[in-house]
Amino acid sequence: GQQLNQSPQSMFIQEGEDVSMNCTSSSIFNTWLWYKQDPGEGPVLLIALYKAGELTSNGRLTAQFGITRKDSFLNISASIPSDVGIYFCAGQLQRSGGYQKVTFGTGTKLQVIP
Amino acid sequence: NAGVTQTPKFRVLKTGQSMTLLCAQDMNHEYMYWYRQDPGMGLRLIHYSVGEGTTAKGEVPDGYNVSRLKKQNFLLGLESAAPSQTSVYFCASSYRTGTVNTEAFFGQGTRLTVV
């Protein structure tokens, strides 16, 4: 099945640094979602984006819906130890009626060095 | 409000054994999903359900069956477990508002090892 290209696959950063990760697709979406998975837990939604070009923040997190509708970016500012986890992007093509498939990225594993 | 609850959390099976993973949600969501998560593969959809009494195949349905006899429950069955089914399994649910499917709410996962 289709997978989104998410990069980087993993990263080690120092506490206090900013982090950027992105997701690209060969097909367009009209919804982009960013999830975080803490160790031993299920993914939890961080940010949802519904319009091309949209820039949305949630505390230290900022995500953007790419203009081409084929990509999205997530930035974390001033990282802290609890930012550790796996970050997943997910794309969805919303249409009226029925189930709309969600495609998940392969994840970015973030480790923060105190 | 418990959200999405999965049982069991851990299980070890021998090759050829069968088992059922249970998922319950208390949010009255229409849609429910079963995913498997493998290293470097992200989340892959096994089966899903858009309502009570209905199920459909996802990306990787082979070797699994599901049932949704009640709206709040979605069961995942392994008929004859194989080592390739060693994975972490996540159940999730979501609902529709207008024409938009909301984001998925995930359970805590079931770590299954087949030896």
Side-chain angles (χ1 to χ4, degrees):
Chain A
Q2 180 191 9
Q3 294 270 315
L4 295 179
N5 217 5
Q6 191 171 346
S7 65
Q9 287 187 338
S10 65
M11 50 197 315
F12 285 82
I13 59 168
Q14 291 279 0
E15 183 177 354
E17 286 183 345
D18 297 344
V19 175
S20 290
M21 58 191 79
N22 68 78
C23 217
T24 58
S25 170
S26 56
S27 48
I28 64 171
F29 296 112
N30 55 20
T31 299
W32 281 97
L33 307 166
W34 283 93
Y35 288 86
K36 183 194 176 198
Q37 184 180 23
D38 289 328
E41 301 287 332
V44 174
L45 183 74
L46 296 173
I47 293 179
L49 303 158
Y50 298 106
K51 283 186 189 176
E54 181 181 356
L55 186 72
T56 297
S57 293
N58 178 5
R60 292 178 296 107
L61 277 60
T62 302
Q64 183 159 26
F65 192 139
I67 289 291
T68 65
R69 296 205 284 163
K70 291 184 178 181
D71 56 7
S72 181
F73 306 87
L74 176 70
N75 295 318
I76 306 172
S77 63
S79 58
I80 59 178
S82 61
D83 290 334
V84 164
I86 303 176
Y87 292 79
F88 289 102
C89 63
Q92 190 172 24
L93 189 60
Q94 301 272 7
R95 290 187 287 268
S96 60
Y99 162 73
Q100 282 106 39
K101 178 184 173 184
V102 178
T103 302
F104 281 87
T106 50
T108 294
K109 186 173 184 179
L110 178 64
Q111 306 209 44
V112 179
I113 303 166
Chain B
N1 190 346
V4 179
T5 304
Q6 292 181 232
T7 52
K9 290 190 169 41
F10 303 93
R11 186 71 187 268
V12 178
L13 283 181
K14 292 184 179 177
T15 298
Q17 284 186 318
S18 63
M19 78 161 293
T20 301
L21 279 64
L22 311 179
C23 178
Q25 53 97 1
D26 60 3
M27 297 173 284
N28 202 34
H29 287 173
E30 296 97 330
Y31 301 143
M32 296 188 75
Y33 316 87
W34 276 106
Y35 289 92
R36 59 177 290 172
Q37 182 179 26
D38 302 292
M41 301 289 286
L43 291 156
R44 293 183 293 168
L45 184 66
I46 304 170
H47 287 279
Y48 66 95
S49 168
V50 299
E52 181 179 321
T54 71
T55 63
K57 294 180 180 180
E59 301 170 63
V60 288
D62 294 342
Y64 305 96
N65 57 73
V66 288
S67 65
R68 186 131 181 239
L69 299 179
K70 293 183 179 180
K71 187 177 184 180
Q72 64 267 33
N73 297 333
F74 195 30
L75 309 183
L76 178 71
L78 281 71
E79 297 149 349
S80 177
S84 61
Q85 293 177 305
T86 294
S87 187
V88 181
Y89 291 85
F90 287 99
C91 177
S93 69
S94 67
Y95 63 98
R96 285 185 74 80
T97 172
T99 58
V100 174
N101 277 357
T102 67
E103 76 277 12
F105 294 79
F106 285 86
Q108 287 191 306
T110 296
R111 184 173 293 274
L112 176 67
T113 303
V114 183
V115 298

